[in-house]
Amino acid sequence: MDKPFPYSDLVMDHFANPRNMGDMENPSGVGNVGNPVCGDMMRLYLKIENDVIVDARFKTFGCGAAIASSSILTEMLKGKKIEDALKISNEAVAEALGGLPPTKIHCSVLAEDALKAALADFKKRSESK
Amino acid sequence: MNLDNVMVKKDRLIFFDNMNTTFPDPEVVKLMNDVLASRLGNPSSHVHSAGIAAGRIIDEAREKVSALVNASPESIIFTSGATESNNLAITGFLKANPGYQLAVSAIEHFSIINQFRLLQKEGIPAFLIDVEKNGSINLNSLEEIVQKKQTLVSISYANPEIGTIQDLNSIAEICSRHGGILHCDCTAAAGFSEIDVAGMGIDLLTLSAHNMYGPAGVGALYAGKNINISPLFAGGNQEDGKRPGTENIPGIAGMGEACRMAGENFGKWQKHLAALGDRLWQDLADSIPFIHFTGHPERRLPGHVSFWVEHVEGESLLLLLNMNGVMASSGSACSSNLKGKDESDLAASHVLTAVGVPTDICAGSITFSLGKYNTEAEVDYVVSIMPGIVEKLLAMSPSYEDYKKSKESFHG
């Protein structure tokens, strides 16, 4: 099929039809990360109840791989306990997308960073209550 | 998995990427096919009929190419393309003329910038000429460099990424006043303007066939009568010893024909493209929020519109355009090297960086470069889909979200 080599079908699908894109009213935790080299920015919103991620949304400024990475991350997160979410690595994100070209691996790393930042933000907010 | 809107629509292929290559003209293709089928000999076998016939084809092509730049046929050297011509012009000239320093504009093509870096490492005094925000050469910066010592100056007539056409008259005047030698890469400009090498004070000039409706794999270098250059590699006596190797006869024939057509039609092409480009520019300016155009507003290639959009990244914009059958290019880091080893192989466009566009903004830049085959209907279509594409990406953008919030809090 005519897709921009070497993006996989899954990457193109998540890019063209992003899942859970948007912001969130009263998020439990927000992760904001950026990569200065290529200027990518990812924002992850989490809704957490009883230590389970019940909802996840994202907004991303970035290339096809960046948008796809954040989109698939939100799907991987919904319904996960925090302790399981913490185990999600950038390799898992890239694998879930059917692989990423070497120059785009950093997009999956950014997704992992966004997740860690969101969970750290959630921890900070609950501790300050 | 819904991939329907990802497939390139075959019934609509809008090619707005003519700075990166053009589709060979059908007359060029026909000529090349005829040449390929003609059972020619090696032009160096000039004692038998097959060799003589081959030589004649090259001679004819050489005349057509030289006519385009108003030079004599003997001053044209055929090469494999603009990259090789640029190497012959710069490294070849400096090898044959030790004692010269090198000056190139900060927005030159990689074939010139990377030679610059290599030669600098080898100890040649080499300087980058400053450019203004609109991409024009800073004439003071040029003069400061050339007045120090005899200089080989390399400046492209027009920049393919941001469309700016240089003020060659002033540049040539400064060069000649200080005994400088001027090389001009005309890859992006041939076919848009009349070129008269002697009248314009140009000593070396690069032409590329695939950028002017000819085939890829062939180019030319014009070298003025008193200019000495050393060949880049060793071999036979072809091209007066300057470029050994059996000639790419069909390619050369195709290039000749492309040059002939450019000479005949550049006025018509200029008019056609200026009208389309102005329309595209105006319609985008009217309908796309946060748009910033790059390059010189007036002194620019016809049919060339380059811009960036705040809060929107370049590769994602290109991908959405491609999904709608529109092909263009971007100066963003992310789109720069998809086949690289890792992210250190990505770099935002050196051209945009040089004209002062910050890196995270470089990420959003797009170049629409039209060619003779493009139509008003295509411009209409592109203008109709751009707002929707930009809207989709703005909705996804955290920096746009922040911008909206800051406006709300300002207005209370």
Side-chain angles (χ1 to χ4, degrees), chain B residues 98-376:
Chain B
Y100 271 78
Q101 60 182 16
L102 175 66
V104 318
S105 94
I107 58 172
E108 291 307 307
H109 183 261
F110 285 129
S111 60
I112 293 179
I113 294 286
N114 285 338
Q115 271 188 90
F116 171 92
R117 291 185 182 137
L118 264 173
L119 292 163
Q120 201 175 46
K121 270 206 197 110
E122 291 172 10
I124 305 242
F127 305 90
L128 281 179
I129 309 165
D130 291 335
V131 294
E132 314 285 345
K133 278 205 154 36
N134 60 23
S136 298
I137 290 290
N138 180 314
L139 296 171
N140 289 328
S141 169
L142 171 64
E143 183 137 33
E144 260 176 49
I145 299 167
V146 299
Q147 69 191 10
K148 282 192 285 202
K149 196 179 165 188
Q150 56 187 5
T151 312
L152 171 66
V153 176
S154 182
I155 294 175
S156 294
Y157 194 159
N159 183 278
E161 198 166 334
I162 57 177
T164 302
I165 295 176
Q166 297 301 341
D167 173 7
L168 264 191
N169 284 334
S170 309
I171 291 167
E173 194 274 319
I174 291 170
C175 287
S176 105
R177 214 172 350 111
H178 296 282
I181 297 292
L182 179 58
H183 165 246
C184 198
D185 180 352
C186 287
T187 298
F192 292 117
S193 359
E194 199 154 10
I195 301 174
D196 172 3
V197 285
M200 292 160 85
I202 297 173
D203 300 295
L204 291 152
L205 187 148
T206 292
L207 287 172
S208 160
H210 78 93
N211 287 79
M212 43 194 296
Y213 315 104
V218 57
L221 177 69
Y222 156 80
K225 208 155 69 148
N226 301 319
I227 304 293
N228 280 328
I229 41 182
S230 294
L232 296 173
F233 43 85
N237 290 325
Q238 293 87 348
E239 300 301 289
D240 208 30
K242 299 287 189 275
R243 207 294 185 168
T246 300
E247 298 88 337
N248 173 2
I249 306 168
I252 287 169
M255 179 165 190
E257 186 59 12
C259 286
R260 183 193 65 78
M261 295 180 82
E264 258 181 43
N265 295 294
F266 76 84
K268 194 172 81 180
W269 293 347
Q270 224 177 17
K271 238 177 107 186
H272 174 71
L273 289 169
L276 292 182
D278 287 349
R279 271 253 342 261
L280 181 57
W281 190 98
Q282 193 57 59
D283 288 353
L284 290 175
D286 290 340
S287 63
I288 307 297
F290 309 112
I291 193 167
H292 299 261
F293 295 96
T294 55
H296 199 286
E298 282 103 43
R299 213 186 334 108
R300 64 181 301 105
L301 289 167
H304 186 295
V305 178
S306 54
F307 59 90
W308 50 279
V309 182
E310 290 175 61
H311 314 299
V312 172
E313 191 273 329
E315 196 209 79
S316 52
L317 215 162
L318 277 188
L319 280 174
L320 286 172
L321 280 169
N322 187 54
M323 288 196 280
N324 284 282
V326 179
M327 288 155 280
S329 77
S330 164
S332 80
C334 294
S335 71
S336 68
N337 189 355
L338 206 52
K339 293 193 194 171
K341 283 187 323 324
D342 59 38
E343 75 188 72
S344 64
D345 279 348
L346 299 180
S349 149
H350 65 285
V351 173
L352 292 175
T353 312
V355 300
V357 181
T359 326
D360 56 342
I361 307 294
C362 291
S365 76
I366 299 291
T367 297
F368 285 136
S369 48
L370 277 59
K372 68 175 182 172
Y373 301 112
N374 294 119
T375 65
E376 262 194 64

Side-chain angles (χ1 to χ4, degrees), chain A residues 2 4-7 13 15-17 21 35 37-38 43 45 59-64 67 102-104 106, chain B residues 1-2 5-6 10 311-313 315-316 319 323 334 337-343 359 392 395-396 398 401-402:
Chain A
D2 279 299
F5 170 88
Y7 280 157
D13 181 32
F15 168 72
N17 312 296
M21 191 280 290
N35 178 330
V37 166
C38 61
R43 183 168 297 167
Y45 301 91
K59 282 211 174 186
T60 292
F61 168 102
C63 61
I67 291 169
T103 45
K104 301 294 186 171
H106 72 276
Chain B
M1 195 154 70
N2 175 10
N5 60 348
V6 175
K10 286 284 194 288
H311 314 299
V312 172
E313 191 273 329
E315 196 209 79
S316 52
L319 280 174
M323 288 196 280
C334 294
N337 189 355
L338 206 52
K339 293 193 194 171
K341 283 187 323 324
D342 59 38
E343 75 188 72
T359 326
K392 179 170 172 145
M396 264 196 260
E401 191 180 310
D402 292 344

